[in-house]
Amino acid sequence: MDIWRSMGFYAVLLFAGLMDIPDEVLESARLDGASGPRLIRHIVLPLSLPVLLSSLIFSVNGTLKVFDSVVALTNGGPGTGTTPLTLYMFQSSFTYSEYGYGSTIALLLTVVCLLVSLAVYRVSRRDNTES
């Protein structure tokens, strides 16, 4: 459900990234003989990489922080079959009154989101500096 809710955001983000590619670059690549898959692989994808990486970071962080749709659809059930980290944090803090444990889970979730974002950023920086 969350993927469909944010699909419009990603579509607009990717469309804006494609519109940001200069027509002159595409035209010169076509004059040099690039077409179809070769044009996409060597021109469109490298120029769209910042937008694609931003989409990846938003998607992974959004997945790690999913909460409301799980609560609305299943309330973490059946049993604990669909209990994401955020729901577990909420239940620990506000259902079982284990505030320290819930805060620790929140801090862990924040650190994981930060590490994922930094890893994607670092990989993208390495790719940009090598080419």
Side-chain angles (χ1 to χ4, degrees):
M1 184 170 110
D2 286 326
I3 188 89
W4 296 111
R5 186 171 42 181
S6 58
M7 192 56 65
F9 170 72
Y10 293 122
V12 169
L13 193 65
L14 295 174
F15 181 72
L18 289 174
M19 296 305 295
D20 195 37
I21 297 174
D23 291 333
E24 297 82 19
V25 173
L26 294 174
E27 183 180 350
S28 65
R30 285 189 186 107
L31 289 174
D32 287 340
S35 64
R38 181 176 244 183
L39 181 69
I40 291 171
R41 182 173 186 271
H42 294 289
I43 303 298
V44 174
L45 283 178
L47 291 176
S48 299
L49 192 61
V51 172
L52 293 172
L53 291 174
S54 298
S55 298
L56 178 67
I57 290 172
F58 289 140
S59 176
V60 169
N61 285 339
T63 302
L64 288 172
K65 297 184 289 187
V66 67
F67 175 75
D68 54 345
S69 60
V70 173
V71 172
L73 293 174
T74 65
N75 201 23
T80 57
T82 56
T83 305
L85 193 57
T86 50
L87 182 58
Y88 184 62
M89 172 191 65
F90 177 79
Q91 289 172 342
S92 296
S93 297
F94 300 111
T95 303
Y96 305 119
S97 298
E98 296 175 352
Y99 300 111
Y101 189 59
S103 297
T104 303
I105 295 171
L107 180 64
L108 174 72
L109 184 63
T110 303
V111 169
V112 167
C113 288
L114 178 67
L115 290 176
V116 166
S117 299
L118 288 175
V120 170
Y121 177 73
R122 186 174 180 104
V123 166
S124 71
R125 292 280 297 166
R126 188 177 324 137
D127 287 345
N128 288 340
T129 57
E130 290 176 0
S131 52

